[in-house]
Amino acid sequence: MTVLIDTTTRVLVQGITEDAAAALTEQMLAYGTPVVAGVAPGRYGDRVAGVPVYNSVADAVLFHQPSATLIAVPPDAVLDAALEALSHDIRLLLIATEFVPEGDVQRLLGWARDSAARVLGPGSAGIIAPAARLRIGTIGGENPDRNFSPGRVGLIAPGATLAADIAALTRRLGIGISTAVSTGTAPMVVTTPASLLPLFERDDATAGVVLAGNAAWAEEVADAIMAQRYTKPLIVAPTDGAPDGTDALLDAGALVAEEWEDLVQYLSLTFRGVPYFGDD
């Protein structure tokens, strides 16, 4: 199993003709992700890496029935792009664009809640599930296999760099990643780590989760554990300084790594059952 994406996922790219989105489309296809259509107003009939381009989400949905969309449009166009996707029953939205106006993000929060959709971002690097060879977004870069190997560890991080560093560590330890999710690098994001934890709880392929990034979510995460919405091991990766809410996380039973070496040992003890003494 995986979290949020699976072998039935069909991906739409909004803004596909922009250079970065076009290159990313090629990378996703190369990894195995079924990118079925793109949207770029005025570019109907074009193809990007063999993917057909339509003027609107309505046309793309009519012909290809995407279940997820990667939104890679300018910041002031994100809200309209997201609402267009939601209005056509696409229930997984990944907003790669950064610097989206905060008021637009607040409106998206309400729309996503009302429609029972899952919206990642703004500034989300996406999702990757190595065993299923599925990836939406920039997560993993040009060569995802360099850092992301199939395994049992779920990963939640704000952006691509921290996710890649932790994934590389799980690869080195031989425990790998089940699904990695980027919530986004913006100060305000639509989906919080605490709301993702129950999804990893239900995922049989995930034995536990590493949580990284801004600690503004610490109290909410501790509440999720105390309410038993998440019961598997939780390891909190190091941040700059002691995050607010550390005591609450510790009281809830999470392992909080203050240094990178702590993270190495927590991972090894939790998922291998032995301390890490270095590479053989």
Side-chain angles (χ1 to χ4, degrees), residues 15-256:
I16 193 171
T17 55
E18 296 297 321
D19 289 346
L24 182 53
T25 297
E26 291 189 30
Q27 292 174 13
M28 290 190 291
L29 288 166
Y31 192 65
T33 305
V35 181
V36 297
V39 169
R43 299 293 295 272
Y44 172 73
D46 286 1
R47 286 184 174 267
V48 173
V51 176
V53 179
Y54 296 88
N55 287 328
S56 67
V57 171
D59 288 341
V61 168
L62 177 63
F63 291 104
H64 299 282
Q65 300 81 49
S67 56
T69 183
L70 174 67
I71 298 176
V73 300
D76 59 358
V78 164
L79 180 60
D80 286 343
L83 295 184
E84 186 181 11
L86 289 171
S87 69
H88 287 87
D89 294 324
I90 297 176
R91 290 295 173 260
L92 176 60
L93 285 66
L94 293 89
I95 302 173
T97 308
E98 298 181 298
F99 309 115
V100 178
E102 188 171 298
D104 290 354
V105 179
Q106 290 175 332
R107 288 186 63 188
L108 272 174
L109 277 165
W111 276 74
R113 191 162 39 242
D114 293 343
S115 63
R118 182 72 62 181
V119 181
L120 299 176
S124 173
I127 308 172
I128 187 168
R133 303 297 295 179
L134 293 170
R135 163 201 176 186
I136 307 175
T138 60
I139 193 166
E142 294 183 1
N143 181 16
D145 294 326
R146 180 174 53 205
N147 295 315
F148 291 86
S149 60
R152 300 177 291 129
V153 181
L155 173 58
I156 303 172
T161 301
L162 191 52
D165 289 344
I166 295 171
L169 180 55
T170 67
R171 181 183 180 88
R172 194 173 97 205
L173 291 171
I175 53 180
I177 295 293
S178 57
T179 305
V181 181
S182 163
T183 54
T185 56
M188 176 185 291
V189 296
V190 179
T191 296
T192 63
S195 66
L196 291 172
L197 286 175
L199 304 183
F200 284 99
E201 173 77 12
R202 295 193 293 269
D203 179 35
D204 292 339
T206 297
V209 170
V210 176
L211 202 51
N214 190 312
W217 39 255
E219 295 283 353
E220 186 183 0
V221 167
D223 288 345
I225 299 172
M226 296 297 287
Q228 295 193 325
R229 294 191 297 274
Y230 179 81
T231 63
K232 296 177 181 179
L234 180 71
I235 301 173
V236 180
T239 59
D240 293 331
D244 294 336
T246 293
D247 288 344
L249 288 168
L250 290 169
D251 290 344
L255 297 170
V256 179

